[in-house]
Amino acid sequence: MNLPSLSFFRSLRKDNQQFAVIGLGRFGRSVCSTLHKFGYQVLATDIDEKRVAEALNERIVSHALQIDSTEPAALKEAGIFEFDTVIVAIGNYVQESVITTLNVKEGGVPHVIAKASSEVHCKLLKRVGADHVVFPEYEAGSALAKTLTKPSILERFDLDPDNSIVEMIVPDEFDGKTIADLQLRNRFGLNLLAVSQDGKFQINPEPTKRLEKGSAMVVIGCNKDINRLPI
Ligand code: ATP
């Protein structure tokens, strides 16, 4: 996660119990059903009456309304401007998505998250005031490519574009060596945060701890140093 995203998520109200989702395509429905499953109130809207009826029938929302979100008056009447957080889940209709995002921001909603379907769409959404833009197809594709090219990396938390915390399988070359033997800080500039043992992680392991191939370890450092590990 990059720093602007972090500050956006930190700005969200922790006690917020309600969300509005505009657009009931696959992405919007997935957001709705997950929020609803977690016990949050979800108001969904879509221009397509059939999609609204389906969402109500499938009980993935608390309320759903058929409105054209390019109309500010319709959004106001639906109460969208009263929400703290609104998700604009219209990926394939760029014009509608951009106008909707603009309307919702002009209506005074403090936190607007919008789905983009291309780089240009992403730029436009930011220009009209989206507080956070997601690009799920790009993000999922990039995550898959990273997993395919580095299968030993189990999880990766990007602190910023250059630095990460990474959970990885202990390389064969580290098998039987102690943390002191490995000298990860001197040789690679990395800090070892945790190693797994019997299915649990030991945090801040002792320098005398021996690593075993096939178990997991968590390191923090810059990406170019992480890439120098024998994985
Ligand atoms: P996919 O479903 O292909 O993964 P997606 O989740 O981005 O993509 P879209 O195909 O962009 O979804 O559709 C989002 C929804 O937005 C559709 O149900 C569509 O009816 C709705 N929509 C489009 N224009 C408007 C509008 N002006 N007002 C409200 N809803 C709209």
Side-chain angles (χ1 to χ4, degrees):
M1 185 177 294
N2 56 35
L3 291 178
S5 303
L6 185 67
S7 70
F8 168 74
F9 285 109
R10 284 182 56 187
S11 76
L12 294 175
R13 272 179 36 202
K14 290 194 180 58
D15 60 347
N16 181 33
Q17 295 296 313
Q18 301 180 325
F19 295 88
V21 176
I22 301 175
L24 285 164
R26 279 177 289 191
F27 177 75
R29 291 164 57 79
S30 162
V31 175
C32 288
S33 62
T34 307
L35 286 170
H36 194 61
K37 220 183 302 167
F38 288 165
Y40 291 87
Q41 293 269 317
V42 182
L43 166 65
T45 71
D46 199 290
I47 198 167
D48 183 343
E49 207 166 320
K50 238 176 67 201
R51 293 209 164 176
V52 171
E54 273 167 15
L56 287 168
N57 282 341
E58 290 167 16
R59 297 173 194 275
I60 59 166
V61 294
S62 330
H63 311 280
L65 297 169
Q66 186 269 323
I67 59 164
D68 179 351
S69 56
T70 61
E71 298 287 344
L75 289 169
K76 188 168 194 293
E77 200 181 327
I80 298 289
F81 299 156
E82 311 308 317
F83 280 78
D84 177 74
T85 305
V86 173
I87 299 101
V88 180
I90 306 176
N92 292 312
Y93 308 88
V94 175
Q95 184 173 323
E96 285 78 358
S97 146
V98 170
I99 296 172
T100 299
T101 303
L102 176 71
N103 288 342
V104 175
K105 276 316 288 180
E106 286 196 335
V109 174
H111 302 107
V112 178
I113 300 149
K115 181 197 168 184
S117 56
S118 68
E119 296 273 0
V120 174
H121 189 183
C122 182
K123 276 189 195 165
L124 289 168
L125 290 168
K126 285 185 180 158
R127 280 289 171 101
V128 296
D131 300 286
H132 185 64
V133 178
V134 291
F135 194 167
E137 287 86 358
Y138 172 83
E139 285 152 15
S142 160
L144 175 65
K146 283 179 185 164
T147 314
L148 291 173
T149 51
K150 291 257 186 273
S152 325
I153 292 190
L154 305 171
E155 288 275 1
R156 172 171 218 123
F157 180 80
D158 293 330
L159 295 167
D160 62 31
D162 300 322
N163 300 292
S164 308
I165 297 174
V166 163
E167 178 190 350
M168 65 178 69
I169 297 172
V170 169
D172 289 359
E173 284 178 49
F174 291 1
D175 186 39
K177 304 230 168 73
T178 65
I179 293 168
D181 292 338
L182 289 171
Q183 299 215 28
L184 290 177
R185 199 177 299 170
N186 287 341
R187 287 168 58 211
F188 297 97
L190 299 172
N191 277 315
L192 185 67
L193 300 178
V195 288
S196 74
Q197 191 170 29
D198 306 327
K200 289 190 89 179
F201 271 101
Q202 187 185 343
I203 312 297
N204 293 328
E206 298 296 314
T208 52
K209 168 93 189 152
R210 238 170 249 287
L211 298 187
E212 285 170 37
K213 70 173 174 186
S215 59
M217 64 184 206
V218 179
V219 296
I220 184 169
C222 84
N223 296 335
K224 77 175 178 349
D225 290 332
I226 292 170
N227 288 337
R228 291 197 295 123
L229 285 172
I231 51 176

